[in-house]
Structures are given as structure tokens and as C-alpha cells.
Amino acid sequence: MRIDVVTIFPEYLEPLNVSLVGKARARGQLGVRVHDLRDWTYDRHNTVDDTPYGGGPGMVMKTGPWGDALDDVLAGGYEAGAHGPALVVPTPSGRPFTQELAVELSERPWLVFAPARYEGIDRRVMDEYATRMPVYEVSIGDYVLAGGEAAVLVVTEAVARLLPGVLGNAESHRDDSFAPGAMADLLEGPVYTKPPVWRGREIPDVLVSGHHGKIARWRRDEAFRRTAANRPDLIERCDPAGFDKKDREILSMLGWSPEPGGRFWRRPELMEE
Ligand code: 6GU
């Protein structure tokens, strides 16, 4: 996969040189190029923003530098043999970035990121490139960042670890929380490693019982506990056809009941805890 990032803060993307993404680059599984948007400004002050039409606070990133930068970056990529670009524009008003979208992006050969600072990029830029390629406007959560650069790091890491051969064990993202499939709709429960006692704290006996069935059941119960506590919305969304008798028991213990339609909801008297 090829990734281009156009930004007014190239240093912000330094983390792409380390850890999983850095190693994928070193192995040639991922080609990353970071470009300074100000290289496509031609005035003395390297202006990339201007006041919004219609008034209001903040500044809007100008069409000129973005259009010239994206044209050159796209031309350079095509020249280097890349194909099938998609433009990714991180913005708090984008669609939620999910594991499902990470999988979709990981299947594309070339991602071009256009993170905005200020109040955003002039709409015409996205509209223009949308006539030539898919444009993904994505948000990484319900909070406001000063710019999209941190989101580029988030999306790149989520995508890179899905590329073939990037993770050590090819199976290791199969049962990620949120991965489409088996444990799909539950968060992962707690994990432990050696030593068996730390500051007087022991590990759950079942994990050293050698009883694989009991261990799997315990892990699933813990996944239900954690999901019920941190993400009750995920339990409500679950298809109860995927629940066995033990699942129903643990859910009932946690205060959840099946409604006539089959989905689970939480008994209101237990909602306070
Ligand atoms: Cl992608 N950008 C900014 N500036 N803020 C955000 C975001 C993106 N996602 C959530 N908040």
C-alpha cells in the first residue's frame, strides 16, 4: 500500500517512522510520503487559509494550495506506478471511523490523506476530487481536535496492521474487539501474564486450570461483564441468535433481559450502578 499525507505540520507525522507502521515501511509493505502543504503556496507569507465566506469565527483552508498539492502528489504517485487512489479527509464532521472502515481502506492500494487545521478545507476541494476518486471524510470520535494530523496517525495504524504480513501472527486480528466475526460484538476481557502473584494479587485460578473449555467460558463471561459496563450499546445491538444458554445466564446476572423481539435490554432498576 502507498500512503501520501499532505499537511502543514510534517513533523507531526514523525511517529509513522516507528513501531508497527515504521516496521511495515522498512519491510517495504507500506510506502509513506509526507508532504508540506506550504510547498504549494506562492505568496511571501505561505498563506494556506482565509476568512470564511458568510462570516463567522476561524479560518478556512484555501482551494489553491490544496488543489495544486493534491494534483502534484497524485501525479507523482501515478508516475511511481501507484493506482486506485482514495482521498481521506479527517474531520470532526466526517463519518465515524470504525474497524469496518479500516478493513475497507486496507483493501485500497493507495490512500492520500488531507488533514485540515482551522475550521476545515473549502468544500470545493472535496467536491472536485470526488469526481475522480472515492473521498472518505472520517471522524475518529466525538470530541474536537485542533487538526486532523492525529487522526491520520490513528487511521494509518488501524489500516497498516490489517495489511497482509504486517502482524506477526496472521491470525492475531481475527478476534480483536470490533473485528467482524466471532467475538465481534463484545469487548475483550482482562488479560494476565507472569508472575502468578504480584503485590499480593493473584491471577484467576481458572487460567491455570488447563481446562480449555472453562477458560473459554470464563473469557466470554468477562467479555460480557466489560461490555455491559463500558459499552452497553454493543449488547443492545447484538443479534441474540449468537447467544448460548450460558451467555443468557451471564447477561441475566448482569441485569439484562430478552425483550419479545429477542434483543437484550437492561432492567431499568439496575441502571444506576
Ligand atoms: Cl478527524 N479531526 C479533528 N480536527 N477533530 C476530530 C476528528 C478529526 N475526529 C474527531 N475529532
Side-chain angles (χ1 to χ4, degrees):
M1 170 180 279
R2 178 184 169 113
I3 289 180
D4 285 277
V5 186
V6 182
T7 171
I8 55 171
F9 293 118
E11 329 83 82
Y12 207 117
L13 284 301
E14 281 291 310
L16 297 178
N17 294 321
V18 298
S19 189
L20 173 126
V21 174
K23 281 181 201 144
R25 293 175 74 176
R27 287 198 214 102
Q29 293 158 332
L30 186 63
V32 179
R33 261 149 277 235
V34 178
H35 314 267
D36 189 339
L37 179 66
R38 292 193 202 274
D39 291 348
W40 287 273
T41 55
Y42 306 102
D43 65 314
R44 209 154 49 85
H45 301 287
N46 299 119
T47 310
V48 293
D49 62 329
D50 206 337
T51 54
Y53 276 120
M59 299 290 270
V60 175
M61 296 189 94
K62 294 166 68 65
T63 50
W66 275 112
D68 292 350
L70 292 173
D71 284 353
D72 283 354
V73 164
L74 287 163
Y78 284 120
E79 233 165 82
H83 63 98
L87 183 62
V88 183
V89 183
T91 163
S93 46
R95 63 196 264 208
F97 181 64
T98 59
Q99 188 64 24
E100 199 179 356
L101 188 49
V103 169
E104 182 175 333
L105 293 180
S106 75
E107 288 163 356
R108 300 208 58 101
W110 183 12
L111 303 176
V112 180
F113 286 95
R117 290 259 143 179
Y118 315 108
E119 299 298 312
I121 302 173
D122 188 306
R123 184 73 236 164
R124 292 170 291 181
V125 174
M126 282 68 78
D127 293 345
E128 165 75 9
Y129 290 92
T131 67
R132 300 187 222 165
M133 64 194 70
V135 175
Y136 296 88
E137 292 183 79
V138 299
S139 162
I140 61 165
D142 293 340
Y143 40 78
V144 180
L145 302 170
E149 281 77 8
V152 174
L153 298 177
V154 167
V155 172
T156 300
E157 186 161 319
V159 166
R161 62 188 288 286
L162 297 174
L163 299 176
V166 167
L167 282 195
N169 175 357
E171 298 290 290
S172 46
H173 46 72
R174 194 197 50 215
D175 53 37
D176 289 350
S177 295
F178 304 112
M183 282 282 246
D185 308 317
L186 298 178
L187 304 182
E188 281 172 22
V191 294
Y192 302 87
T193 187
K194 292 166 278 298
V197 184
W198 178 72
R199 298 189 183 176
R201 295 169 182 275
E202 300 186 353
I203 60 164
D205 285 337
V206 62
L207 296 180
V208 286
S209 68
H211 194 302
H212 299 299
K214 279 191 182 151
I215 292 172
R217 185 63 246 174
W218 180 84
R219 287 196 169 135
R220 193 159 165 87
D221 289 351
E222 291 302 309
F224 274 113
R225 270 188 233 290
R226 189 179 290 204
T227 309
N230 293 346
R231 293 295 304 277
D233 58 304
L234 293 182
I235 297 201
E236 281 157 21
R237 212 195 288 165
C238 270
D239 179 0
F243 293 156
D244 65 19
K245 189 155 161 279
K246 293 277 182 192
D247 293 345
R248 289 161 198 281
E249 272 171 33
I250 183 84
L251 276 173
S252 168
M253 253 161 39
L254 294 169
W256 296 73
S257 320
E259 63 182 11
R263 296 208 181 255
F264 278 72
W265 60 287
R266 195 171 209 177
R267 293 197 290 277
E269 69 271 22
L270 291 153
M271 290 284 259
E272 312 308 302
E273 297 144 55

